Amino acid sequence: MNDFERQLREAMRTAVADAQPPPSVMESVRRRYWRRRIWLAAASVVAVAMLVAVVPVAGAVGGGGGRPAHGRISGAPLFPGGGRLLLDRQGALEWLYPHGRTVRLASGFAGATLAGGKLLAWKHANPPGASRFLPHGCFDPDCTRIHDLSYYTMNLDGSDARLILPAESPVGNIAFQYQDAQLSPDGSRLAYTSQELRNGTRNIFLEARELWSLDLATGQKTDLGPASTPFTWKDNATILADSADGRSIQQIDARDGTRTTYLTVDDPSLIHAYERARPGSGHPSFVGLGGWSPGASALAVTLDGRTRLGSNTGRPAEILMARGQVLAFSVGSSAWIAVTMKWGPNGVFLLDSQAQQPCTPGTQVMYAGTVHSDRLSRAQTIQESWNASAVNPAGTVIALAQPGFIDFVPVPSPACHAAGKCLRFEEKQLLGPLLPGRAMLLAWDRG
């Protein structure tokens, strides 16, 4: 037994006997107690410092793609539906996760889409000589960017960025404008339109557009003939597109440009479907491509009684052809309605309806439907207009966006039944620090 232990035992014995311990003994006990507290406090500071240093490293490793992650992580999710949102934050492509973490992929891009397990992104290349194609009377520098888009592919984490379709510099008074680029479902080919621009003394003259296919493995380009938009990939080697006269849907072989008629406006099943959707409107005279869903093997087309899409005399209807069924949907009763379709998972789709007056955009209404039902349901939206939409990977939540905000609403019944569940929540809006300036929604991915 050392001296300290002997003194401590003596102090305890004295305390039991109601005696006051000697001052020297109590002072020794106090000093030893405070030395231990100081040591524990120092050890705690070191442990906290190590934790602060480790957490950012762990977040960066778990962020995907090896790019540093940043942003705040809070307890409550920023948005419902899970997955991750692809944003264009003033030229920077970023993933935003439900708990606030953001991961930057690339900078300097004007937009991007998801296809074939990759990102297809584009930027303004602004090649030398572009200013010679400034339209007469236009003083906005962006007017020089009517023909200078370059297209890139990259992995979903931003790695392996490849320039696959560079913008061409003007030659003399001729330039080419590349637009509407789409990757095939497996990411092996790129389809795009090319338009020749001729610069006159006062105006730019636009020549006919051509549809092209680019084999990304070999770099070989194939001219597929006159371009009609919209067009979409049906499979990895086949493209569907409108005909020039608006009376049929054409099927185009992306390897050699061979064209066959896939569907005509005179198809009896289309005529009967249009009569169901728009009783008393007569036979349709126009058919336009609405979209193709590879997962659901479903084709959507727009039928109308007008001779050409854009006049204000018709009554459009959306027709869905899937698994031998022909479903007919009509939205609104206005004489002039613009209808845009967007596909989601599990055969869910959105119909964005906008009643218009000439030169004046009207209030938008969003409907949701599914290939399993002939019923449309209106989504209860917060805003009256938006310019981007997406469905979450589970098929239960709709995102509607304008630059600077994103609204989230449930997919209504019966469309949500395809997901096996329907969510119920108050409309939620995402804005503020996480969406500064003109941050814009591009896509919704599983993550």
Side-chain angles (χ1 to χ4, degrees):
M1 181 181 300
N2 57 35
D3 291 340
F4 177 80
E5 292 173 338
R6 187 178 295 107
Q7 292 174 0
L8 182 59
R9 178 171 293 185
E10 181 64 26
M12 294 174 63
R13 190 179 296 114
T14 305
V16 173
D18 294 331
Q20 181 67 31
S24 60
V25 174
M26 293 308 297
E27 183 64 23
S28 179
V29 172
R30 290 191 194 98
R31 287 177 180 174
R32 181 144 181 168
Y33 170 75
W34 282 109
R35 281 198 301 269
R36 179 173 178 81
R37 286 197 61 178
I38 292 171
W39 182 88
L40 289 174
S44 299
V45 171
V46 172
V48 170
M50 291 179 64
L51 181 61
V52 170
V54 168
V55 166
V57 175
V61 172
R67 300 295 182 94
H70 59 280
R72 297 176 302 174
I73 299 179
S74 59
L78 291 175
F79 55 88
R84 57 184 178 178
L85 304 179
L86 180 62
L87 302 179
D88 175 5
R89 195 190 298 268
Q90 299 176 332
L93 302 180
E94 295 183 352
W95 289 116
L96 173 63
Y97 292 83
H99 290 285
R101 182 164 58 93
T102 57
V103 178
R104 178 162 295 191
L105 306 178
S107 298
F109 288 90
T113 58
L114 293 175
K118 291 183 176 293
L119 285 176
L120 174 66
W122 51 91
K123 65 170 57 176
H124 294 298
N126 204 15
S131 58
R132 285 180 287 171
F133 283 80
L134 185 69
H136 177 70
C138 180
F139 301 98
D140 186 344
D142 283 343
C143 288
T144 65
R145 295 176 173 175
I146 58 176
H147 62 278
D148 66 343
L149 287 180
S150 292
Y151 290 88
Y152 296 74
T153 58
M154 65 184 75
N155 294 328
L156 298 186
D157 62 359
S159 63
D160 193 26
R162 297 175 53 205
L163 175 60
I164 58 172
L165 185 63
E168 295 187 23
S169 298
V171 178
N173 68 334
I174 299 176
F176 291 92
Q177 178 182 22
Y178 299 141
Q179 289 183 319
D180 310 314
Q182 300 178 31
L183 281 175
S184 60
D186 66 353
S188 65
R189 288 180 177 269
L190 182 76
Y192 63 96
T193 63
S194 175
Q195 185 167 35
E196 183 178 315
L197 295 85
R198 294 180 178 270
N199 196 11
T201 55
R202 295 179 62 85
N203 294 293
I204 292 178
F205 300 96
L206 305 180
E207 304 297 329
R209 288 195 295 177
E210 294 285 306
L211 180 63
W212 289 79
S213 171
L214 171 63
D215 187 320
L216 298 186
T218 65
Q220 180 180 356
K221 294 181 179 180
T222 304
D223 188 345
L224 304 181
S228 295
T229 54
F231 66 86
T232 186
W233 286 96
K234 182 174 181 288
D235 53 45
N236 297 320
T238 310
I239 295 171
L240 298 177
D242 289 349
S243 64
D245 61 5
R247 295 188 58 81
S248 68
I249 303 298
Q250 299 291 302
Q251 180 170 285
I252 307 170
D253 191 317
R255 296 162 296 190
D256 58 17
T258 301
R259 295 190 177 218
T260 56
T261 298
Y262 186 76
L263 186 69
T264 73
V265 72
D266 298 319
D267 188 294
S269 62
L270 292 185
I271 294 174
H272 294 154
Y274 186 66
E275 290 176 344
R276 292 199 308 271
R278 295 292 192 184
S281 295
H283 287 193
S285 56
F286 169 89
V287 59
L289 182 66
W292 172 264
S293 172
S297 297
L299 173 68
V301 297
T302 299
L303 294 179
D304 207 335
R306 54 191 167 211
T307 57
R308 194 171 289 274
L309 194 63
S311 69
N312 59 357
T313 59
R315 303 183 68 199
E318 200 73 13
I319 310 299
L320 197 63
M321 308 180 74
R323 301 185 179 92
Q325 283 187 307
V326 180
L327 307 178
F329 307 95
S330 61
V331 292
S333 57
S334 174
W336 188 10
I337 298 177
V339 179
T340 305
M341 168 170 273
K342 172 162 286 189
W343 286 102
N346 307 318
V348 173
F349 62 86
L350 303 179
L351 281 183
D352 184 355
S353 169
Q354 185 172 7
Q356 299 180 346
Q357 298 297 326
C359 303
T360 304
T363 299
Q364 290 174 259
V365 178
M366 180 62 76
Y367 296 89
T370 172
V371 297
H372 308 291
S373 171
D374 59 358
R375 222 181 88 205
L376 285 179
S377 298
R378 180 171 176 172
Q380 300 302 312
T381 58
I382 304 173
Q383 303 293 328
E384 293 185 348
S385 64
W386 48 85
N387 57 12
S389 62
V391 181
N392 73 321
T396 55
V397 181
I398 302 170
L400 304 170
Q402 284 273 23
F405 74 81
I406 306 176
D407 292 338
F408 299 89
V409 299
V411 171
S413 175
C416 56
H417 295 165
K421 62 178 178 180
C422 296
L423 300 184
R424 298 288 182 266
F425 60 88
E426 294 293 326
E427 296 91 341
K428 183 176 179 61
Q429 190 171 77
L430 178 61
L431 72 169
L434 284 169
L435 292 172
R438 300 185 62 80
M440 190 59 207
L441 172 68
L442 300 177
W444 201 336
D445 184 51
R446 292 185 181 278

